[in-house]
Amino acid sequence: MADSPIKKATLHIRRGGAGAASHFDDFEVPYEDGMSVLDALRWIRVHLDSTLAIRYSCINANACKTCMALVDGEVEYTCIAKLAPKTVTVEPLPKRPLIRDLVTDIVPDEEKWATLKNLEVK
Amino acid sequence: MSDISTDVLIVGAGGAGMYAAISAARSGASVLLLDKSLIGRGGATVMAQMTVAAALGHQEPDDCAIHLKDTLDAGRGLCNEELSALLCYEGPKRVLEMEQWGTRWARENGHIKQEMAPGHSRKRCCYVDFLNTGPAVAATLRRKVSEVAEIRRISNVAIVDILVKDGRAIGAIGLNLVNGEWVTFQAPAIILAAGGLTKLYQRNSASANMGGEAYALALWAGAELVDMEFVQFFPIGHLAPRLVGMDPIMWDPFRYKLGGKLLNGSFEEFIDRYGGIDFGKYTATRDIAAYAILKEVEAGRGTPHGGAYLDFRHIPERQLRAAFGPVIDRLLTNGIDLTQTPVEVGPTAHYHMGGIRVNARMETRIQGLYAAGEAVGGANGANRLSGNAITEALVFGERAGACAGERGKRGSADGDAKPVAAALQRIKAVKEQRAKDGVSPIALQTQLQKIMWDKAGPFRTGDKLAEALARIREMCEEELPRLTIADGNSYDMDLQDWFELRAMLATAEAVVKSALARTESRGAHQREDYPDADEALLKNQALELKDRALVASWLPPVQLSRRQK
Ligand SMILES: Cc1cc2nc3c(=O)[nH]c(=O)nc-3n(C[C@H](O)[C@H](O)[C@H](O)COP(=O)(O)OP(=O)(O)OC[C@H]3O[C@@H](n4cnc5c(N)ncnc54)[C@H](O)[C@@H]3O)c2cc1C
C-alpha cells in the first residue's frame, strides 16, 4: 500500500534587522492537521534555521499574548493562527518598532532596560 | 562598576517573583524585578487554568491543619514539613489578599466557591471563571507591581550567573536579549523565582522559559538542590489533534466526570491488563494509567502520536454539554468534536516537586540568596496535590520578599569588581569558541529533551538512567563548547538558547543523578527495576557542586513536632 504523500506548507517570511532592507526567505515544513503557524516557526528553528528570530512563550495556551505577527496580512497570534498545506506569508507587526525578523518591540516602556538606565543616570 | 544596583534583585516574574516584589517593597526595600520574557507572561503562572488550594473554609468547614495532612499524605513521607505548613497555613491569607487586589475568584452566595480536587479531603480549590485562574492571578499581580513605586521592572533580560563572594551573593550577570549586550546587577539580596524545569522533557506542558535555569543558577552559586528526582508527570496530557488555548492537562475532570474510555491504538480497552481493577468504570489510578499507556506504546500498540485514545463517543452530546458547556465549543474551534473522534493522550511532564533547598525563610545556604515558587524544593515531597503549586508560588513569594527585603535594605551592595570581571570573561568566551557549521543550541536542546523523555521519564531503570547520564556529560563536555552560534545580532536566538541549554544540561544531570541513586519507587519517582518503596530511603537527597562535580547526600526529612501540626 502506498503511503499517503506527506503534506507540506511553505512559510514565506520577511526577515531582517531594524533600519536595514528586509528580504523574504521561504521554508518548507511538514504539515499536520491542526498545526499552528507558531508550530511551523518553531520547527524551522530546530530543523532549518536556528537564527530565525521569533518571540513566544506559552506555546499552547494563548495566554502569554507575545507571539503576534502579520499572517497573510492580518495581525494574528501565531499560536492560534492555523496553518494550511500551502504558502503562508509571515511578517513582523507593522506598527511596532522592528527588532529583528519577526520580533518587534512590544515591551511596555517602563519595563525596558533603556528606560531603567535613563532613570539610573538622573 | 555594575550597571544597576538595588536592595533586592528578583530573577523571574511569575506568581512567585511578582508577589516577592510586592512584599519586599512593603518592607521598605528597593526592588528590581526582571524576566527573560515579559513581566508576568513568561512562565507557568499565566498558563494555569485550574485551581488554587487554600483552606478558607468558605464552601464547607475546613482547617489549615487538614490541608497540611492531605499535603503530607500525598508527599509520601518526604515533605519538608516546615515548608508544607507554611504553604497550608499562609495560603488563605494570600488568596484573600489577591482578592483585595482585584482577583475575581468565582463566588456564590456571598462566599468564594471552592471545589473538590483529587487528594484533597475538603472542597478547598478556588478558581476564576472560565478556566482563567492563571491569567487572572498574573494580571492582578502585573497591575499591582506596576503601582508600587519601589519596584522597577525589566523584561527581556536573562540572568545567566549569580555572583558570589565569600559565601555571599552580591549580584548577577544578565544577557540583554534585545541587543545582545551583557548587563550587571549589584544587590545584597537576590531571589531566584525562575520557575520549573518541565521543558527538559520532550513531552511537556511547559512554556519556552521553563528549562530549569533557577536550579542551575543555584547550584553554580554554591546552594544545594533537594528531591530533584521528583518530576510530576501527568498521565493523560493532551497529545493530538493539535489543541491551543486549553490546558493540556484538562482531560482529567472529563474522564472522571463522564467516564471517558482509554483505548490503545487498535481501539481496545487495555487498562485491565495492567492491574487496573476497575475495568468498565474508567477510574484506574493515575500511575496505573500512565504505566499502561506507555507499555502499550512500547509494545507497538500506541496511537499515531505515541499515546492512547481517550474516547467520549459513547456519551451523548447533551451530557457532554451539561458537564462542560463552553469548553465543548472551545474544543470545536480547535476542530475537535468529542462525539465524533477520540483524542490522543499520554503522560506529560507537568511540575517539579524538587528544587532549591531553603529553610522556612526561603534562604539557601548562600547568604543573601533566596528562592521562591516552583524553583523551591520540598513542600510537596514525592508528589504534589493539584492546586498547591500556585498557592506555593504566592506564599513562598511573599515570604521570600519579606525576608530578602529585610536583608536588602540593611545590607550595603558589595561593589567588588573582580567577580564581575571574571564572570564576564567566562561568558564572553562563549562567543569566541563557536564552531562554523555545527549543531545549533536549539537542535541540541531537542536532543536533550528526547533523551530525558526516553531514559529519565515517568518510568525509569538504572540502565536507562546511566545511559542518560553518560550522554548528558558528553553533551556538556564535548558538544556545548562547540555549538554554532550565529553572529551576536539583536535578538540573537542562538545565544539565548546556548545559555539556556547550559543550564538545562546542569539541571538535567541533577535530575538523572538523583533518580539513579533512589533505588525505590515512591510517588512520582517510579523505577521499573525497584517497583516497591524502601523504608530505608525515607530520606531526602540533597545535591551540591564540589570541584565542579555533583555530590549527593541523604538527609532525614524536616519534620514538625506533633504539636506544630
Ligand atoms: C499548563 C499548566 C497548568 C497548571 N495549572 C495549575 C493549576 O491549575 N493549579 C496550580 O496550583 N498549579 C498549576 N500549575 C503549576 C503552577 O502554575 C506553577 O507551579 C506556578 O505558577 C509557578 O510559579 P512561579 O512564579 O514559581 O514560576 P513561573 O510562573 O513559571 O515564572 C517563572 C518566570 O521566570 C522566568 N525566567 C526563567 N528563567 C529565567 C532567567 N534565567 N532569567 C530571568 N527570568 C527567567 C520565566 O520567563 C518566567 O516568567 C500549572 C502549570 C502549567 C505549566
Side-chain angles (χ1 to χ4, degrees):
Chain A
M1 208 175 72
D3 282 342
S4 60
I6 297 168
K7 287 194 239 171
K8 303 263 187 187
T10 301
L11 280 89
H12 183 61
I13 302 175
R14 187 191 286 278
R15 301 190 65 178
S22 66
H23 67 279
F24 280 92
D25 278 345
D26 284 0
F27 298 97
E28 200 176 55
V29 305
Y31 170 82
E32 200 180 303
D33 285 337
M35 196 172 170
S36 69
V37 171
L38 180 60
D39 291 336
L41 295 171
R42 291 166 51 230
W43 193 92
I44 292 167
R45 287 210 60 239
V46 175
H47 297 97
L48 300 176
D49 185 351
S50 65
T51 69
L52 175 67
I54 56 179
R55 187 199 285 280
Y56 67 97
S57 176
C58 76
I59 305 171
N60 295 308
N62 188 226
C64 74
K65 310 289 183 190
T66 65
C67 68
M68 290 94 76
L70 272 193
V71 178
D72 282 336
E74 301 283 330
V75 176
E76 303 231 34
Y77 292 111
T78 56
C79 74
I80 49 175
K82 295 279 183 197
L83 202 65
K86 55 181 193 189
T87 299
V88 58
T89 302
V90 192
E91 298 169 89
L93 293 176
K95 293 193 177 152
R96 297 283 184 168
L98 179 66
I99 296 179
R100 195 165 67 81
D101 293 349
L102 299 177
V103 179
T104 50
D105 188 359
I106 58 165
V107 177
D109 275 344
E110 59 283 7
E111 290 177 18
K112 280 184 188 148
W113 175 258
T115 316
L116 188 75
K117 279 305 288 176
N118 286 338
L119 288 177
E120 196 81 355
V121 172
K122 270 182 214 158
Chain B
M1 173 60 206
S2 282
D3 290 317
I4 302 272
S5 93
T6 178
D7 293 343
V8 178
L9 173 69
I10 302 175
V11 183
M18 291 192 284
Y19 220 115
I22 296 162
S23 140
R26 227 166 11 197
S27 74
S30 67
V31 179
L32 187 63
L33 171 66
L34 64 78
D35 202 287
K36 66 190 286 190
S37 171
L38 268 61
I39 300 291
R41 298 182 188 273
T45 304
V46 76
M47 299 164 72
Q49 292 192 336
M50 301 296 170
T51 63
V52 180
L56 297 170
H58 281 200
Q59 194 74 32
E60 63 176 338
D62 196 0
D63 195 307
C64 298
I66 308 175
H67 186 186
L68 177 59
K69 181 174 183 306
D70 292 344
T71 299
L72 299 183
D73 286 349
R76 299 285 314 275
L78 290 187
C79 292
N80 175 326
E81 296 185 0
E82 279 184 10
L83 295 183
S84 321
L86 187 66
L87 188 166
C88 297
Y89 280 85
E90 299 279 308
K93 291 181 209 162
R94 302 285 76 86
V95 165
L96 294 175
E97 191 163 56
M98 288 294 292
E99 190 174 51
Q100 282 173 12
W101 293 342
T103 305
R104 302 238 282 273
W105 303 116
R107 283 183 157 268
E108 67 179 2
N109 306 327
H111 68 77
I112 293 178
K113 239 162 125 174
Q114 296 186 279
E115 296 274 8
M116 205 68 185
H120 291 282
S121 64
R122 297 289 187 277
K123 291 183 178 166
R124 65 166 71 99
C125 295
C126 320
Y127 58 95
V128 180
D129 274 326
F130 283 95
L131 297 177
N132 200 36
T133 301
V137 164
T140 300
L141 291 171
R142 278 204 307 269
R143 183 166 356 95
K144 188 74 189 169
V145 293
S146 75
E147 287 166 5
V148 179
E150 292 76 16
I151 303 173
R152 294 176 293 174
R153 291 162 284 153
I154 312 181
S155 287
N156 277 175
V157 169
I159 293 298
V160 300
D161 250 323
I162 302 296
L163 299 169
V164 177
K165 189 183 150 197
D166 307 329
R168 278 181 307 129
I170 60 167
I173 294 192
L175 171 62
N176 181 345
L177 303 176
V178 178
N179 61 11
E181 284 174 6
W182 301 106
V183 292
T184 56
F185 303 93
Q186 194 173 292
I190 300 168
I191 302 173
L192 293 172
L197 56 57
T198 44
K199 185 185 170 178
L200 291 180
Y201 288 91
Q202 186 180 39
R203 286 203 177 149
N204 64 57
S205 62
S207 79
N209 306 304
M210 289 160 67
E213 292 176 74
Y215 313 111
L217 290 171
L219 265 185
W220 295 330
E224 292 166 289
L225 304 181
V226 69
D227 294 343
M228 289 301 283
E229 62 273 41
F230 291 103
V231 179
Q232 185 168 58
F233 295 91
F234 186 78
I236 53 167
H238 186 85
L239 295 180
R242 191 72 179 95
L243 174 62
V244 176
M246 304 283 311
D247 199 324
I249 66 153
M250 61 178 261
W251 292 117
D252 221 19
F254 269 75
R255 193 159 79 97
Y256 289 136
K257 269 199 188 170
L258 296 168
K261 281 188 213 170
L262 278 173
L263 307 175
N264 68 15
S266 320
F267 292 94
E268 304 156 347
E269 299 198 40
F270 60 94
I271 296 283
D272 62 316
R273 299 181 203 154
Y274 299 89
I277 39 168
D278 40 15
F279 186 49
K281 292 188 189 150
Y282 324 120
T283 55
T285 57
R286 284 183 172 193
D287 51 336
I288 291 179
Y291 185 77
I293 293 171
L294 291 178
K295 285 289 148 185
E296 285 296 293
V297 173
E298 238 176 70
R301 293 190 295 268
T303 58
H305 292 83
Y309 289 113
L310 181 60
D311 190 0
F312 295 97
R313 285 174 302 175
H314 55 291
I315 297 161
E317 184 172 356
R318 81 194 124 65
Q319 203 180 327
L320 286 171
R321 287 207 169 269
F324 294 97
V327 183
I328 303 295
D329 291 321
R330 275 212 218 175
L331 288 169
L332 283 172
T333 44
N334 274 281
I336 298 173
D337 180 351
L338 294 181
T339 64
Q340 299 300 318
T341 27
V343 295
E344 291 180 57
V345 297
T348 303
H350 185 56
Y351 173 82
H352 190 41
M353 272 74 72
I356 302 168
R357 186 164 177 239
V358 295
N359 61 19
R361 294 172 50 79
M362 301 296 130
E363 295 165 330
T364 69
R365 73 176 181 187
I366 300 297
Q367 277 180 50
L369 187 62
Y370 300 75
E374 193 168 332
V376 167
N380 298 288
N383 220 337
R384 169 185 72 104
L385 292 181
S386 65
N388 266 9
I390 293 180
T391 315
E392 166 185 76
L394 303 178
V395 168
F396 291 5
E398 190 278 339
R399 180 56 54 104
C403 297
E406 283 308 319
R407 179 186 167 88
K409 69 181 186 202
R410 277 186 284 108
S412 61
D414 187 319
D416 191 341
K418 262 188 246 144
V420 180
L424 274 179
Q425 200 163 6
R426 271 200 311 276
I427 287 170
K428 283 180 177 153
V430 171
K431 283 201 178 182
E432 267 114 62
Q433 64 193 200
R434 80 174 74 111
K436 274 266 167 329
D437 293 310
V439 174
S440 68
I442 196 166
L444 199 63
Q445 282 189 8
T446 308
Q447 283 183 38
L448 174 65
Q449 290 173 315
K450 178 153 169 49
I451 288 159
M452 289 299 284
W453 182 257
D454 290 343
K455 310 218 179 278
F459 295 94
R460 301 160 172 180
T461 67
D463 290 346
K464 284 192 192 168
L465 288 166
E467 286 169 36
L469 189 59
R471 186 70 189 100
I472 290 168
R473 291 296 329 153
E474 194 176 64
M475 286 179 161
C476 276
E477 282 155 23
E478 314 281 328
E479 287 156 64
L480 186 64
R482 279 201 273 279
L483 294 174
T484 299
I485 302 175
D487 271 320
N489 269 311
S490 54
Y491 224 84
D492 183 340
M493 301 295 280
D494 282 342
L495 197 60
Q496 295 185 34
D497 291 340
W498 191 92
F499 279 97
E500 191 175 270
L501 173 62
R502 180 179 71 150
M504 286 170 79
L505 285 168
T507 300
E509 184 176 348
V511 172
V512 173
K513 269 227 158 131
S514 306
L516 199 51
R518 185 172 287 282
T519 48
E520 65 158 354
S521 291
R522 182 186 299 276
H525 171 71
Q526 293 291 322
R527 286 278 300 253
E528 288 187 75
D529 45 355
Y530 295 95
D532 301 319
D534 177 354
E535 288 316 289
L537 292 179
L538 205 48
K539 293 186 187 126
N540 300 102
Q541 231 183 135
L543 290 178
E544 64 184 316
L545 275 182
K546 274 190 184 153
D547 299 324
R548 301 180 60 213
L550 270 181
V551 179
S553 48
W554 294 90
L555 309 166
V558 176
Q559 287 181 316
L560 295 171
S561 67
R562 188 158 289 168
R563 217 156 27 95
Q564 289 170 297
K565 294 188 193 176

